[in-house]
């Protein structure tokens, strides 16, 4: 092939990947139109040849066809919700995760040829031991409830369904009953290789579990992509300092495996060409062995292309390798750029191609800054020390941590006493990361607008341009965009009252205009039944973090002025410990007498930080700056329903009232004590129970709007039919988290409007 043709092909690959990758973000029928537009713009800007542009468009069109084919196939395979479905699933031993009495499996539907998630409750210790120790691949006939992964129901909540879409998972089966379990037998040599790879991976997982912690956690995460459900909860500094890419997207494992294998093959005197071929053949097996995670597609594809180029003795540029790896990634997993792991993997590797002329410091600075827009759009916060932490941690990982992990596996069998020292070294590194993450410097920026991500990334690359004028222009634009975004997020002209969809619980948040006061009223929480030690889970859903803290950080709130806990029930205070752990809280308000109760001593007191003031309140309490008037309790109690804190305030044009689980008797007492009280917006007491919402009181208050916070399919039957009937009779427009998801009222001056996350949520869709 001539040099000209090689140049045309290389330029075509780069341009087509630019077209295809950016076009994919639009995710609708304008894909091809956007691709054509970008091709024309690139042609004008870069002055590429006509041949290059034609080749680029053809390659882009090929990708777009693959993308549409994936979408149509995915939708065709997606099963409708059904309470009773029987499936035959293939289960690899290493795809089984056991946490307490909960079983989670990444399975494969043998009939429809699709990935599926399986959730089951383990019935006994014997059954748990079977799933923990099983090393065989299984074929299981199961019966259960088939559904799509749950959609988000809160503003800025992580979209589980979309995430699993990027992983080609369309359905999940829960409430599983096993009808038949048998050992899976391979039908051909390919099956045998795949089955043995999964069995060996399971053996290694069991072996690594025997290592001391944190060495065990690091070994599983780095070598085989096996991250425990509570890994990032136990090591929050890894996330806060932006070191998560070292565990999930760096590709260190692939480089070390290729180098290690090639050295072994050289030791047995295998000629260079055969060495290259054998290494290339083993890389896909290593990909499966490392968990088959999407973030490894890029390093595996790039290594394969490099090996192929060396085999045919061709000089291939880094740009062509990167473009080819992206093309392979998009064809293997068309949704790879729709998750943060894929985005960071390709972006950071792209940045590395242009750091050859930069020093070590500037390289680290570019790597940290390049990921900043994506992190702010997805995680909402950034630590000032993340750049120096990455500058130090990246070489430490490559030179010390990963080799120590490999060494630990070797000495585990040969000389176990050394493990203690190796674990001590890893522990020092881990504790150092956590210590740095706890230092001041965490900025809760808020959610960066999606449309700003790509422009900011382009400006970041311009900051490292050789021409000073471009650097200056880029610096001014970059800092201006971030500064304006920060101001708009942190000092909104509107106030808001947001009622979270927290399940069968209660939690609402008030932020006054210009962010003058922030108040969280209750935290939600689960009322758990007593469990035996073997049934207790380590991980699981943390609604305090995933719903409440996640939303607060998305709007730039990193500190609460007030945390009001209406009374001591778990569905109102159960998530308080998570709020207190993850956020700074200035004041905690509780009903008078609650300090002497077990809920306070067990659920709250151990988690209250120095500097947080706990105030027991009654209706006579006067708190300067607190944006509510406290109407109840009238005296000291035991923090039970009848002792609930009742609050009243004005939100723009509406007068708002909330009172936890206060019964009708308490509502009547407040009505008599404050005869002139008017309420436009009422948070219905006790989740819409008939023990609250007295008809005469509501008439007197002249309620116009109602808010109900209750869990879907809850065992209490909330809200009660008679309460809904009463609301209809009184012409009260009711918003319900069961059907509306999160409910937000925005106001400014004498104007306001309601927003709901969904108009009419149906979890059967």
């Amino acid at each position: 092939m001539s040099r000209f043709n090689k140049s045309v092909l290389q330029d075509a690959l780069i341009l087509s990947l630019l077209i295809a990758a950016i076009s994919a973000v639009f995710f609708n029928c304008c894909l091809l139109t956007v691709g054509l537009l970008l091709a024309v713009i690139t042609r004008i800007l870069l002055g590429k040849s006509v041949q290059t542009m034609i080749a680029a468009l053809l390659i882009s069109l090929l990708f777009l066809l693959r993308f549409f084919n994936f979408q149509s196939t995915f939708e065709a395979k997606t099963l409708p919700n059904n309470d009773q479905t029987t499936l035959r699933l293939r289960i690899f031993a290493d795809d089984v995760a056991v946490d307490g009495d909960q079983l989670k499996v990444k399975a494969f539907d043998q009939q429809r040829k699709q990935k599926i998630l399986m959730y089951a409750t383990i019935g006994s210790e014997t059954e748990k031991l079977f799933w923990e120790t099983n090393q065989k691949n299984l074929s299981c006939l199961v019966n259960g409830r088939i559904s799509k992964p749950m959609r988000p129901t809160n503003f800025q909540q992580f979209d589980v369904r979309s995430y699993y879409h990027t992983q080609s998972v369309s359905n999940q089966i829960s409430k599983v009953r096993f009808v038949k379990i048998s050992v899976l037998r391979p039908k051909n040599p390919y099956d045998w290789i795949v089955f043995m790879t999964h069995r060996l991976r399971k053996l290694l997982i069991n072996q690594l579990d025997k290592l001391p912690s944190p060495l065990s956690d690091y070994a599983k995460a780095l070598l085989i992509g096996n991250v425990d459900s509570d890994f990032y909860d136990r090591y929050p500094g890894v996330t806060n300092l932006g070191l998560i890419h070292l565990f999930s997207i760096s590709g260190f494992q692939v480089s070390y495996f290729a180098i290690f294998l090639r050295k072994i093959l050289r030791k047995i005197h295998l000629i260079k060409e055969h060495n290259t071929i054998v290494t290339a053949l083993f890389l896909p097996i290593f990909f499966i062995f490392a968990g088959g995670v999407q973030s490894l597609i890029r390093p595996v594809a790039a290594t394969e292309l490099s090996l192929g180029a060396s085999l045919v003795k061709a000089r291939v540029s880094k740009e062509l390798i990167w473009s080819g790896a992206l093309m392979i990634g998009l064809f293997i997993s068309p949704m790879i750029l729709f998750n943060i792991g894929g985005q960071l993997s390709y972006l950071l590797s792209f940045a590395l191609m242009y750091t050859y002329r930069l020093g070590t410091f500037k390289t680290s600075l570019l790597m940290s800054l390049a990921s900043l827009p994506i992190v702010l759009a997805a995680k909402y916060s950034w630590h000032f020390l993340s750049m120096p932490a990455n500058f130090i941690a990246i070489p430490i990982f490559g030179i010390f941590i990963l080799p120590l992990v490999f060494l630990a596996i070797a000495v585990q069998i040969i000389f176990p006493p050394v493990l203690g020292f190796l674990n001590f070294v890893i522990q020092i590194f881990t504790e150092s990361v956590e210590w740095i993450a706890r230092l001041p410097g965490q900025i809760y920026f808020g959610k960066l607008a999606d449309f700003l991500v790509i422009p900011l990334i382009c400006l970041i690359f311009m900051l490292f341009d050789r021409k000073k004028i471009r650097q200056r222009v880029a610096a001014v634009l970059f800092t201006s965009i971030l500064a304006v975004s920060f101001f708009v997020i942190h000092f909104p002209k509107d106030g808001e009252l947001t009622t979270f969809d927290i399940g069968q619980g209660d939690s609402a948040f008030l932020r006054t205009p210009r962010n003058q006061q922030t108040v969280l009223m209750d935290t939600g929480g689960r009322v758990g039944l007593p469990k035996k030690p073997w049934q207790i889970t380590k991980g699981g859903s943390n609604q305090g973090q995933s719903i409440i803290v996640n939303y607060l950080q998305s709007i730039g709130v990193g500190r609460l002025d007030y945390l009001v806990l209406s009374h001591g029930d778990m569905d109102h205070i159960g998530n308080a410990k998570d709020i207190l752990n993850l956020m700074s809280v200035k004041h905690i308000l509780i009903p008078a007498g609650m300090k002497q109760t077990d809920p306070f001593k067990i659920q709250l007191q151990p988690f209250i930080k120095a500097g947080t003031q706990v105030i027991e309140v009654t209706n006579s309490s006067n708190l300067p700056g607190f944006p509510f008037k406290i109407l109840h309790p009238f005296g000291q109690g035991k923090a039970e329903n009848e002792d609930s804190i009742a609050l009243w305030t004005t939100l723009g044009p509406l007068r708002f009232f909330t009172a936890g689980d206060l019964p009708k008797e308490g509502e009547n007492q407040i009505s008599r004590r404050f005869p002139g009280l008017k309420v436009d917006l009422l948070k219905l007491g006790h989740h819409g129970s008939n023990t609250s919402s007295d008809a005469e009181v509501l008439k007197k208050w002249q309620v116009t709007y109602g808010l109900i916070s209750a869990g879907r399919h809850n065992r209490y039957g909330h809200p009660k039919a008679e309460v809904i009937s009463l609301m209809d009779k009184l012409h009260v427009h009711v918003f319900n988290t069961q059907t509306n998801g999160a409910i937000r009222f925005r106001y400014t001056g004498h104007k306001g409007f309601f927003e709901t996350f969904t108009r009419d949520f149906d979890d059967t869709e």
Side-chain angles (χ1 to χ4, degrees):
M1 185 183 291
S2 69
R3 178 180 293 182
F4 172 76
N5 287 335
K6 284 182 180 178
S7 176
V8 169
L9 177 59
Q10 179 170 319
D11 292 339
L13 275 172
I14 295 172
L15 293 177
S16 66
L17 263 299
L18 171 68
I19 295 165
I22 298 178
S23 298
V25 177
F26 288 81
F27 198 75
N28 55 35
C29 61
C30 69
L31 281 168
L32 188 56
T33 305
V34 174
L36 291 168
L37 179 61
L38 286 170
V40 173
I41 293 172
T42 308
R43 170 72 179 87
I44 295 171
L45 293 177
L46 301 182
K48 296 297 180 181
S49 66
V50 175
Q51 298 99 313
T52 296
M53 298 313 302
I54 293 173
L57 289 176
L58 290 175
I59 296 173
S60 299
L61 180 60
L62 184 63
F63 161 73
L64 295 175
L65 290 174
R66 169 73 178 102
F67 187 85
F68 280 122
N69 176 259
F70 169 83
Q71 289 298 109
S72 59
T73 303
F74 183 86
E75 292 173 6
K77 287 184 176 181
T78 301
L79 297 171
N81 289 7
N82 192 333
D83 287 336
Q84 291 294 325
T85 301
T86 300
L87 301 176
R88 182 170 293 280
L89 303 179
R90 183 191 69 195
I91 297 176
F92 289 133
D94 59 314
D95 286 334
V96 174
V98 177
D99 187 7
D101 63 350
Q102 298 302 303
L103 179 70
K104 179 182 177 181
V105 181
K106 299 174 186 175
F108 187 79
D109 184 349
Q110 292 177 284
Q111 181 180 349
R112 295 167 186 82
K113 308 299 180 186
Q114 65 170 343
K115 297 177 184 178
I116 190 168
L117 294 174
M118 186 187 82
Y119 298 95
T121 300
I122 299 172
S124 67
E125 283 189 85
T126 303
E127 184 183 347
K128 180 177 180 178
L129 183 64
F130 165 77
W131 287 109
E132 286 180 330
T133 58
N134 172 62
Q135 297 174 4
K136 298 177 180 178
N137 301 315
L138 305 173
S139 176
C140 298
L141 189 66
V142 302
N143 183 269
R145 182 180 185 273
I146 195 76
S147 62
K148 299 175 186 177
M150 187 68 174
R151 289 184 293 162
T153 59
N154 289 274
F155 300 106
Q156 308 303 342
Q157 185 179 358
F158 180 69
D159 192 337
V160 175
R161 181 179 293 185
S162 293
Y163 168 76
Y164 280 120
H165 188 175
T166 69
Q167 309 292 311
S168 303
V169 177
S170 58
N171 286 107
Q172 63 184 31
I173 185 167
S174 56
K175 299 181 180 179
V176 168
R177 181 176 64 86
F178 290 92
V179 179
K180 184 180 179 181
I181 300 176
S182 57
V183 177
L184 195 63
R185 306 292 181 188
K187 297 178 181 178
N188 52 57
Y190 172 78
D191 280 353
W192 185 87
I193 293 173
V194 172
F195 288 10
M196 285 304 299
T197 302
H198 282 282
R199 289 192 64 179
L200 288 172
R201 185 169 184 267
K202 177 63 176 179
L203 283 170
L204 184 56
I205 290 173
N206 291 343
Q207 195 65 29
L208 295 179
D209 280 333
K210 297 175 184 177
L211 293 172
S213 182
L215 181 57
S216 172
D217 302 318
Y218 274 52
K220 287 188 294 183
L222 291 170
L223 297 183
I224 54 177
N226 186 274
V227 180
D228 290 339
S229 58
D230 62 339
F231 180 87
Y232 296 113
D233 292 331
R234 285 184 287 126
Y235 308 115
V238 170
T239 302
N240 293 339
L241 292 177
L243 300 178
I244 190 171
H245 66 90
L246 296 174
F247 291 89
S248 58
I249 65 173
S250 63
F252 275 131
Q253 311 96 314
V254 179
S255 300
Y256 270 84
F257 173 77
I259 294 169
F260 179 70
L261 181 59
R262 299 201 76 176
K263 284 185 176 180
I264 290 178
L265 295 175
R266 277 200 298 268
K267 289 287 185 183
I268 62 174
H269 306 293
L270 202 66
I271 63 174
K272 186 177 180 180
E273 289 76 9
H274 291 172
N275 186 323
T276 301
I277 293 170
V278 172
T279 304
L281 290 174
F282 269 90
L283 274 175
I285 297 175
F286 176 77
F287 175 71
I288 297 172
F289 194 79
V293 292
Q294 280 188 335
S295 56
L296 288 182
I297 293 177
R298 180 200 58 79
V300 169
T303 306
E304 291 279 22
L305 290 172
S306 298
L307 291 172
S310 67
L311 192 62
V312 298
K313 296 181 174 56
R315 296 184 63 182
V316 181
S317 69
K318 293 178 292 184
E319 292 84 358
L320 189 58
I321 292 291
W322 182 87
S323 300
L326 180 52
M327 183 66 79
I328 291 171
L330 289 169
F331 270 86
I332 292 175
S333 179
M335 301 288 288
I336 195 169
L337 293 181
F338 284 81
N339 66 66
I340 188 172
Q343 293 164 5
L344 289 177
S345 180
Y346 282 101
L347 175 63
L348 295 179
S349 60
F350 180 84
L352 275 174
M353 292 191 299
Y354 294 95
T355 59
Y356 65 91
R357 60 182 175 81
L358 303 176
T360 306
F361 175 75
K362 285 188 176 180
T363 297
S364 178
L365 182 62
L366 173 59
M367 296 290 284
S368 297
L369 284 177
S371 62
L372 179 61
I374 293 177
V375 171
L376 291 182
K379 301 295 183 184
Y380 321 134
S381 66
W382 184 72
H383 204 294
F384 269 122
L385 297 176
S386 62
M387 281 190 286
N390 273 273
F391 178 74
I392 297 169
I394 290 174
I396 289 178
F397 249 77
I399 298 170
F400 295 107
I401 302 299
L402 207 54
L404 281 178
V405 168
F406 279 109
L407 182 59
I409 296 172
V411 302
Q412 184 180 16
I413 301 171
I414 302 170
F415 194 57
V418 180
L419 286 177
F421 173 74
L422 297 179
N423 189 61
F424 175 71
V425 175
I426 299 289
Q427 194 166 4
I428 290 176
F429 174 79
T430 304
E431 291 176 356
S432 300
V433 168
E434 298 304 318
W435 179 78
I436 293 171
R438 287 192 293 269
L439 292 174
Q442 189 76 29
I443 303 298
Y444 296 101
F445 185 94
K447 178 172 172 54
L448 182 70
D450 291 333
F451 71 88
L452 292 175
V453 172
I454 292 177
L456 283 174
I457 291 173
C458 294
L459 289 173
I460 287 166
F461 280 100
M462 286 178 62
L463 290 172
F464 296 85
D465 194 279
R466 289 178 178 175
K467 294 185 177 181
K468 295 294 184 182
I469 184 64
R470 291 183 182 176
Q471 291 181 9
R472 295 191 186 103
V473 171
V476 171
L477 289 175
F478 179 75
T479 53
S480 299
I481 291 173
L482 286 184
V484 171
S485 297
F486 184 88
F487 183 83
V488 170
I489 292 169
H490 283 255
F491 302 100
K493 62 182 180 64
D494 295 341
E496 69 167 89
L497 172 71
T498 299
T499 301
F500 298 106
D501 180 11
I502 202 77
Q504 185 57 24
D506 219 328
S507 183
F509 170 70
L510 172 69
R511 174 163 72 167
T512 57
R514 302 298 179 191
N515 202 32
Q516 294 178 6
Q517 295 289 339
T518 55
V519 183
L520 181 65
M521 296 161 279
D522 288 330
T523 66
R526 297 183 184 276
V527 181
L529 299 175
K531 286 189 173 185
K532 297 177 181 178
W534 68 269
Q535 294 176 305
I536 298 174
T537 58
K538 294 185 297 182
S541 174
N542 184 337
Q543 292 182 325
Q545 179 175 356
S546 64
I547 295 177
I548 300 174
V549 174
N550 187 68
Y551 176 74
L552 296 182
Q553 292 182 355
S554 77
I555 60 172
V557 174
R559 190 193 78 162
L560 289 170
D561 294 310
Y562 296 93
L563 171 59
V564 181
L565 301 173
S566 63
H567 62 296
D569 286 358
M570 283 297 294
D571 58 334
H572 289 253
I573 70 167
N575 293 325
K577 57 182 178 293
D578 301 311
I579 307 299
L580 294 169
N581 277 332
L582 296 167
M583 300 193 73
S584 172
V585 178
K586 194 172 181 181
H587 304 97
I588 300 176
L589 307 187
I590 56 177
M594 187 172 172
K595 278 188 178 180
Q596 286 70 49
T597 65
D598 287 341
F600 179 84
K601 294 176 182 178
I602 297 171
Q603 298 295 328
L604 298 174
Q605 197 167 35
F607 307 98
I608 298 174
K609 300 172 186 174
T612 298
Q613 184 182 12
V614 180
I615 305 173
E616 292 188 303
V617 300
T618 64
N619 70 303
S620 59
S621 298
N622 183 21
L623 304 175
F626 185 54
F628 287 95
K629 180 175 177 59
I630 302 172
L631 305 182
H632 192 269
F634 300 135
Q636 185 167 306
K638 298 179 180 179
E640 296 176 346
N641 287 357
E642 56 269 24
D643 306 311
S644 292
I645 294 176
L647 303 173
W648 182 93
T649 191
T650 300
L651 308 176
L654 301 183
R655 292 159 291 190
F656 171 64
F657 177 87
T658 180
D661 287 349
L662 190 67
K664 292 178 180 179
E665 293 78 6
E667 295 171 351
N668 274 290
Q669 290 174 355
I670 292 173
S671 179
R672 290 193 295 270
R673 184 73 66 97
F674 303 97
L677 187 69
K678 299 297 179 184
V679 177
D680 303 299
L681 175 60
L682 171 70
K683 185 82 173 292
L684 271 69
H686 207 172
H687 322 288
S689 169
N690 51 13
T691 59
S692 299
S693 303
D694 182 87
E696 294 304 316
V697 171
L698 267 59
K699 286 180 185 177
K700 183 178 178 182
W701 286 349
Q702 300 176 2
V703 176
T704 306
Y705 301 99
L707 300 173
I708 296 176
S709 178
R712 294 174 188 82
H713 316 296
N714 67 80
R715 63 177 181 268
Y716 308 103
H718 294 158
K720 294 294 185 179
E722 52 263 48
V723 174
I724 298 299
S725 176
L726 174 63
M727 296 302 110
D728 289 339
K729 184 178 178 181
L730 297 177
H731 304 291
V732 175
H733 183 96
V734 174
F735 296 94
N736 185 348
T737 60
Q738 292 175 331
T739 53
N740 297 129
I743 304 154
R744 184 162 57 192
F745 178 69
R746 290 186 183 275
Y747 66 94
T748 180
H750 296 290
K751 296 180 181 180
F753 61 93
F754 286 95
E755 296 175 313
T756 60
F757 187 81
T758 179
R759 185 182 298 274
D760 187 15
F761 181 85
D762 181 1
D763 58 3
T764 64
E765 291 181 356

